[in-house]
Amino acid sequence: MFSVPTGRPLDRHGLYMNFTHRFPYQAAFTGPSEGGTLIGLDNIAIPTFGVRYGVTSKLSVMASRSPSLIGRSIELMAAYNFLDEHHGSPINAAVRFSVDGQNDFGKNFAESLEVVVSRSLGHRAQITAVPTFSLHARPLLSQNSITSPPPDLSCHDSVVPAGDSPISVRPCANIFSLATAVAVDIRPTVALVAEAIPTLMNGDELGIHRPAYAFGIQKKIWRHAFTFGFTNGPTSLVSQRGGTRATFMGDPTADKPGGLFVGFDITRQIF
């Protein structure tokens, strides 16, 4: 989808590349000079690059890296698909376990367990639900400098160090979210997608007061998929994808509809 996984099994020995861009520093529809800045595309992006590999037809692994502006996190993941509609099951289902660490997997670790469940609605639509439990999830904070490492956010601290965020947040929390998404084909290779990621447990501790959400359009060509849309969530990192632009920008109103910004994803199957 956009940030929500579909749980689609990877081809055995298939190698996939994912490249996401988010432009959270400028809202797409509010503020000055929207047209002159191409609805925010002229501004600084938050890119994440990742690769996935199908070890078998059911087991896959993934690694991704996010930039310094968002904590320079490396995420490692293993996924196992145990139900598949193409093999007679009523639903698709997969379980995914991931660990991410900031400062190039050096500190501030978080662990996440997801169950990805999806079902086709005829031949043109699919719905997806992803209950996710994350341990030691960190607030979604923007770094002031790409040369400075992210702060040490120990779970034993009572509050985030002064100056790191104008919004009151704790350094980490155990959270539960329920991501939902829908994709509808309007052409054989074009789909409309929409998703929402409400954090149902301990979201307030990380400054999450409204759900992250996104909507857009996706074009699929053979082994490529390109998704363009609008969102209020700056990252697709599992433990932080429920975080919004409000905490990232230090503005409690930045995740309202007026704060939606541009993002796009590129997926390519190498072989």
Side-chain angles (χ1 to χ4, degrees):
M1 300 294 182
F2 206 71
S3 297
V4 176
T6 64
R8 175 184 176 274
L10 306 186
D11 291 343
R12 181 175 178 267
H13 296 166
L15 181 65
Y16 300 74
M17 177 192 73
N18 296 95
F19 198 33
T20 70
H21 270 66
R22 304 287 186 266
F23 297 81
Y25 291 101
Q26 180 179 332
F29 305 114
T30 59
S33 303
E34 300 93 339
T37 59
L38 296 176
I39 58 174
L41 288 170
D42 276 352
N43 217 305
I44 298 172
I46 303 296
T48 297
F49 178 77
V51 293
R52 296 179 296 160
Y53 179 72
V55 181
T56 69
S57 60
K58 294 185 177 182
L59 176 66
S60 60
V61 294
M62 184 271 279
S64 69
R65 204 269 192 181
S66 299
S68 294
L69 287 171
I70 207 166
R72 61 180 74 146
S73 296
I74 289 179
E75 181 178 52
L76 304 177
M77 177 185 294
Y80 186 79
N81 294 74
F82 56 92
L83 292 176
D84 191 336
E85 287 180 314
H86 294 95
H87 296 156
S89 299
I91 60 174
N92 306 299
V95 61
R96 310 199 315 172
F97 176 75
S98 60
V99 179
D100 65 82
Q102 294 183 332
N103 202 28
D104 293 330
F105 213 70
K107 61 183 180 181
N108 301 340
F109 295 96
E111 305 82 28
S112 299
L113 180 65
E114 309 167 87
V115 178
V116 185
V117 180
S118 64
R119 178 176 173 81
S120 298
L121 303 177
H123 298 288
R124 288 196 163 190
Q126 185 180 67
I127 55 174
T128 302
V130 189
T132 305
F133 184 69
S134 296
L135 294 171
H136 314 124
R138 261 70 187 186
L140 187 57
L141 304 177
S142 175
Q143 300 297 118
N144 295 324
S145 170
I146 63 172
T147 59
S148 300
D152 290 313
L153 299 183
S154 169
C155 290
H156 300 293
D157 294 340
S158 57
V159 294
V160 170
D164 285 337
S165 175
I167 298 177
S168 177
V169 294
R170 295 182 63 85
C172 84
N174 300 331
I175 61 173
F176 176 77
S177 64
L178 179 59
T180 56
V182 60
V184 180
D185 289 340
I186 57 174
R187 299 285 296 169
T189 62
V190 179
L192 298 179
V193 299
E195 63 185 36
I197 312 173
T199 302
L200 305 179
M201 184 181 79
N202 295 335
D204 288 350
E205 297 193 21
L206 301 184
I208 303 172
H209 304 297
R210 299 178 184 89
Y213 63 94
F215 57 89
I217 188 167
Q218 183 179 85
K219 174 67 174 179
K220 296 163 283 187
I221 304 176
W222 193 44
R223 292 183 172 182
H224 293 78
F226 177 78
T227 308
F228 179 89
F230 301 92
T231 181
N232 67 348
T235 180
S236 57
L237 191 72
V238 173
S239 67
Q240 292 187 320
R241 70 183 175 211
T244 67
R245 185 172 180 260
T247 310
F248 187 77
M249 299 297 293
D251 178 359
T253 67
D255 56 359
K256 292 184 176 181
L260 286 170
F261 57 87
V262 173
F264 64 82
D265 298 350
I266 301 172
T267 300
R268 158 70 171 158
Q269 183 177 356
I270 306 299
F271 55 79

